[in-house]
Amino acid sequence: AFFMNISQIMEKMIAFSNGNLHDMNHLMCVWTYAKTIGELEGLDRKTQETLEIAAITHDIACPLCREKYGNTNGKRQEEEGGPLVRSFLADAGLSAEQVDRVAYLVSHHHTYTDIDGIDYQILIEADYIVNASESGYSPENRKNFLEEHMKTESGKRLLRSTFCMET
């Protein structure tokens, strides 16, 4: 059976981004932070792979949301993302369980409550770090996120290092 590796999924997602450099750079950055945090936290191979696929595809709904709603509101991304990622990964050779988990993560990546797994936690952390950088979040916002939502030690260290925050 054919199995698409992470690089092949990345290549497919870049093509799916249809020349939108912001979207491509964002997914590359989120993937890099997620991969780094996952590896530093010692995730098992399957959880790490699921996390990385979710990081690559987490904003798959952005092009549709821009066209359909005129913005990329997080809740709309969550609503539209699940079905899109299921279709996107249909030929990737992943197990149904793995596709289900990726779809779940993509459908919840802007929801900071009821986080039910280390892959979910790390995706939230990685996406936040990149969004904070891209959108110029205030020091108060970053400090609040660190205190209220960051759970992994690696994610905390990376957030602090990225923004030269005091420990």
Side-chain angles (χ1 to χ4, degrees), residues 58-153:
H58 78 282
D59 278 350
I60 195 167
C62 284
L64 173 69
C65 288
R66 282 187 203 102
E67 186 177 315
K68 189 171 177 179
Y69 307 108
N71 63 60
T72 57
N73 172 278
K75 289 301 159 200
R76 297 277 196 209
Q77 286 182 47
E78 289 183 336
E79 291 165 14
E80 302 284 359
L84 285 172
V85 82
R86 285 179 183 286
S87 172
F88 182 83
L89 295 174
D91 65 349
L94 304 174
S95 69
E97 176 186 39
Q98 198 168 23
V99 172
D100 285 347
R101 184 62 179 171
V102 172
Y104 177 82
L105 295 172
V106 169
S107 297
H108 291 83
H109 77 278
H110 284 282
T111 301
Y112 298 164
T113 55
D114 302 318
I115 293 173
D116 69 350
I118 189 70
D119 49 358
Y120 186 170
Q121 180 64 42
I122 292 170
L123 181 61
I124 292 289
E125 293 179 5
D127 194 34
Y128 178 84
I129 293 169
V130 177
N131 286 332
S133 173
E134 291 174 349
S135 300
Y137 292 176
S138 70
E140 296 78 20
N141 181 294
R142 297 189 308 254
K143 183 177 186 293
N144 180 63
F145 191 87
L146 176 69
E147 293 171 356
E148 300 294 321
H149 301 293
M150 296 293 273
K151 303 288 186 243
T152 70
E153 291 306 313

Side-chain angles (χ1 to χ4, degrees), residues 5-7 9-10 13 27-28 30-39 43-58 89 94 98 102 105-106 119 122-123:
N5 66 33
I6 297 293
S7 295
I9 292 170
M10 177 67 79
M13 192 65 207
L27 76 91
M28 296 285 259
V30 172
W31 169 71
T32 301
Y33 276 105
K35 176 178 172 53
T36 302
I37 295 168
E39 289 176 355
L43 299 190
D44 65 85
R45 186 190 62 78
K46 188 57 103 184
T47 305
Q48 180 75 28
E49 183 180 85
T50 301
L51 167 64
E52 290 186 39
I53 294 167
I56 291 166
T57 60
H58 78 282
L89 295 174
L94 304 174
Q98 198 168 23
V102 172
L105 295 172
V106 169
D119 49 358
I122 292 170
L123 181 61

